[in-house]
């Protein structure tokens, strides 16, 4: 027993009333009443008196309190501040417990409710799972640097620049999620990594599209009444994306309007709204033909189950050795609107389901221009079916 130490006993710790009781060597028992109390170690650190808590008597017994006090005294003899050293060890432990892969999973679990279909398709998170987490998943998020990010993603710069961009954006959200939970992370790590990676030398490629002038010939070739042919015809006539079209249900059509539910729109789920598509006479005729194929109300079912896949229409065009792809018909329609009509920009963009204008304009706009779009879509159908497509005069949207 060290001289002047170990003055207390376990019985005294249990039974002593409120007060302060010294065990020696700077270790004190501080009791607020008979049953509660805590251990405090008094130390002179660099000439300044410090008080270091060692835990409550409910969690730390007398023997363990003496061991903890001894360890702190050893740190002090070695020339370090035991309180700061303990804080450093806690930070190290926290870093090792919050690996990037775990923080990313925790972030996605909360974020996916904002995504279409709750992100079940996996595409939103895949830039991280494929290109970041295999390399950096076991790195503590607090230790993640711009150099780590640059090394992981720079190989994509000139081969998959869009994938790289998405990976950086998603990683930035993960890091901000970590910061919101109080972790010591570098919020500028992604921005710094972008600067280190540099600008891609690859120009973005647009989805191949048919010229609007060539659309009528292709439309005429889709005449066998199969699900694929009818789906492509309606895709062309409406300018819709393939996702909403493939999941078109009889209940979505009322009169000459197809209402696409918000959950099928490309926008974030918490931002999306139902979108109305005016149907031309030709589009209504296509829908009527498609009803004979309907299964469970869906107009474009697959051969086995569910609806036709996104690739089904594309494969038809591939077999014909065409460069254009189904999504490109949206570009064909947009070019026709620009070159063959005087449709205001806001109306033309709304035809494709885009929201044009700045934040203030969008906040105050309460129209979807459906009457103006109805005229345009009827004229587009006239062009698509080979009956001409002269300039359409519209009232200004302003």
């Amino acid at each position: 027993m060290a001289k002047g130490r170990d003055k207390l006993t376990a019985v005294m710790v249990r039974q002593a009333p409120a007060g302060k009781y010294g065990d020696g060597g700077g270790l004190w028992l501080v009791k607020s009443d008979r049953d509660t109390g805590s251990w405090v170690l008094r130390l002179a650190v660099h000439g300044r008196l410090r008080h270091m808590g060692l835990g409550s008597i409910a969690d730390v017994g007398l023997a363990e309190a003496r061991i903890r006090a001894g360890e702190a005294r050893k740190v002090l003899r070695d020339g370090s501040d035991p309180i700061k050293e303990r804080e450093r060890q806690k930070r190290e432990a926290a870093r090792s417990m919050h690996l990037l892969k775990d923080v990313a999973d925790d972030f996605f679990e909360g974020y996916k409710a904002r995504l279409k279909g709750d992100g079940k398709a996996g595409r939103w998170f895949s830039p991280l799972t494929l290109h970041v987490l295999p390399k950096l998943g076991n790195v503590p998020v607090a230790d993640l640097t711009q150099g780590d990010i640059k090394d992981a993603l720079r190989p994509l710069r000139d081969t998959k620049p869009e994938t790289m961009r998405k990976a950086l954006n998603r990683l930035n959200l993960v890091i901000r999620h970590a910061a919101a939970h109080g972790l010591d992370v570098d919020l500028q790590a992604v921005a710094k990594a972008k600067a280190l990676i540099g600008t891609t030398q690859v120009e973005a490629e647009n989805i191949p599209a048919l010229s609007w002038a060539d659309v009528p010939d292709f439309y005429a070739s889709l005449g066998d009444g199969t699900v694929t042919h009818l789906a492509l015809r309606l895709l062309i006539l409406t300018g819709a994306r393939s996702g909403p079209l493939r999941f078109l249900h009889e209940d979505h059509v009322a009169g000459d309007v197809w209402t696409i539910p918000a959950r099928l729109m490309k926008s974030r789920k918490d931002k999306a709204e139902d979108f109305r598509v005016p149907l031309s006479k030709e589009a209504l005729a296509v829908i009527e033909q498609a009803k004979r194929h309907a299964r469970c109300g869906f107009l474009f079912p697959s051969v086995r189950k569910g609806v036709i896949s996104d690739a089904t229409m594309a494969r038809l065009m591939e077999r014909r050795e065409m460069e254009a792809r189904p999504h490109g018909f949206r570009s064909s329609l947009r070019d026709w609107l620009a070159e063959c009509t005087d449709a205001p920009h806001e109306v033309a963009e709304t035809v494709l389901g885009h929201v044009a204008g700045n934040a203030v304009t969008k906040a105050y706009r309460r129209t979807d221009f459906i009457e103006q779009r109805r005229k345009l879509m009827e004229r587009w159908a006239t062009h698509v079916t080979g009956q001409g497509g002269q300039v359409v005069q519209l009232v200004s949207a302003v």
Side-chain angles (χ1 to χ4, degrees):
M1 178 187 296
K3 184 177 180 181
R5 294 186 187 172
D6 298 348
K7 298 176 181 179
L8 300 176
T9 66
V11 174
M12 293 172 63
V13 172
R14 287 197 306 271
Q15 298 182 355
K20 297 181 180 179
Y21 305 90
D23 187 56
L27 179 61
W28 287 81
L29 169 65
V30 181
K31 299 196 73 174
S32 54
D33 56 46
R34 180 186 172 100
D35 298 320
T36 58
S38 60
W39 300 103
V40 176
L41 180 63
R42 293 180 180 176
L43 298 164
V45 180
H46 305 311
R48 187 160 64 97
L49 182 63
R50 304 289 301 277
H51 293 81
M52 182 178 183
L54 300 179
S56 69
I57 59 174
D59 300 322
V60 180
L62 176 59
E64 186 178 352
R66 287 170 175 167
I67 292 172
R68 293 187 179 188
E71 291 172 347
R73 294 188 195 102
K74 182 179 183 304
V75 172
L76 185 61
R77 288 196 301 272
D78 292 340
S80 299
D81 182 338
I83 297 176
K84 289 184 177 180
E85 177 62 19
R86 183 173 63 181
E87 292 172 351
R88 185 191 67 78
Q89 291 176 357
K90 285 182 178 179
R91 288 195 299 271
E92 290 294 326
R95 275 198 288 266
S96 65
M97 289 173 60
H98 295 95
L99 303 181
L100 177 61
K101 62 182 180 182
D102 297 326
V103 176
D105 286 341
D106 183 65
F107 160 75
F108 186 57
E109 187 63 29
Y111 189 81
K112 64 185 181 182
R114 305 170 69 182
L115 304 173
K116 185 172 67 175
D118 289 335
K120 290 179 181 177
R123 289 192 293 270
W124 192 92
F125 200 55
S126 63
L128 292 181
T129 57
L130 294 177
H131 303 289
V132 175
L133 298 183
K135 299 175 181 178
L136 302 176
N138 290 320
V139 174
V141 69
D143 292 342
L144 192 65
T145 68
Q146 61 266 31
D148 297 327
I149 300 170
K150 182 262 292 182
D151 292 343
L153 293 177
R154 190 168 188 174
L156 301 177
R157 187 188 70 178
D158 296 325
T159 56
K160 298 180 178 179
E162 182 61 17
T163 299
M164 182 192 73
R165 183 190 67 79
K166 290 179 179 178
L168 287 167
N169 289 347
R170 283 137 177 77
L171 182 57
N172 191 50
L173 291 173
V174 170
I175 292 174
R176 291 187 176 281
H177 177 74
H181 281 274
L183 301 182
D184 184 18
V185 295
D186 182 359
L187 288 172
Q188 300 301 315
V190 169
K192 296 172 185 174
K194 286 181 180 179
L196 293 175
I197 291 171
T199 305
T200 179
Q201 303 301 311
V202 178
E203 294 185 5
E205 294 185 5
N206 294 323
I207 295 175
L210 276 182
S211 164
W212 61 264
D214 295 330
V215 172
D217 287 341
F218 178 72
Y219 185 88
S221 73
L222 303 171
D224 67 7
T226 61
V227 168
T228 304
H229 279 212
L230 291 171
L232 272 168
R233 280 195 162 193
L234 193 61
L235 188 81
I236 293 168
L237 289 166
T238 60
R241 292 184 173 88
S242 65
L245 183 129
R246 291 185 298 110
F247 284 92
L248 174 57
H249 193 278
E250 290 177 335
D251 293 344
H252 298 165
V253 178
D256 65 350
V257 175
W258 165 25
T259 301
I260 302 176
R263 67 179 184 278
L264 296 178
M265 294 298 291
K266 185 179 180 181
S267 305
R268 263 176 32 190
K269 187 163 66 175
D270 61 338
K271 296 288 187 180
E273 298 177 352
D274 292 352
F275 180 66
R276 297 190 298 171
V277 179
L279 298 169
S280 63
K281 293 181 179 67
E282 178 72 9
L284 287 169
V286 171
I287 289 174
E288 195 61 33
Q289 293 179 62
K291 286 181 180 179
R292 69 174 183 267
H293 299 292
R295 186 170 66 227
C296 299
F298 291 102
L299 298 186
F300 302 114
S302 68
V303 175
R304 294 182 177 84
K305 62 179 182 178
V307 300
I308 59 173
S309 72
D310 196 39
T312 300
M313 292 180 284
R315 279 197 294 268
L316 180 146
M317 301 177 77
E318 288 174 1
R319 287 194 296 269
R320 296 187 181 186
E321 299 183 352
M322 299 172 64
E323 290 186 7
R325 290 296 175 263
H327 191 79
F329 288 116
R330 288 169 56 80
S331 295
S332 306
L333 171 56
R334 187 64 181 86
D335 289 345
W336 176 83
L337 287 168
E339 296 180 22
C340 297
T341 80
D342 65 348
H345 175 75
E346 293 86 349
V347 178
E349 286 297 290
T350 306
V351 167
L352 300 180
H354 296 162
V355 181
N358 57 34
V360 174
T361 303
K362 288 183 282 188
Y364 282 93
R365 183 177 298 150
R366 293 294 182 267
T367 179
D368 60 2
F369 306 112
I370 193 164
E371 293 304 325
Q372 291 167 289
R373 289 192 290 129
R374 180 176 280 112
K375 295 178 183 178
L376 288 169
M377 299 316 291
E378 198 64 57
R379 180 59 63 180
W380 171 242
T382 300
H383 166 70
V384 165
T385 55
Q387 302 173 53
Q390 55 267 34
V391 173
V392 182
Q393 300 296 324
L394 288 177
V395 177
S396 174
V398 180

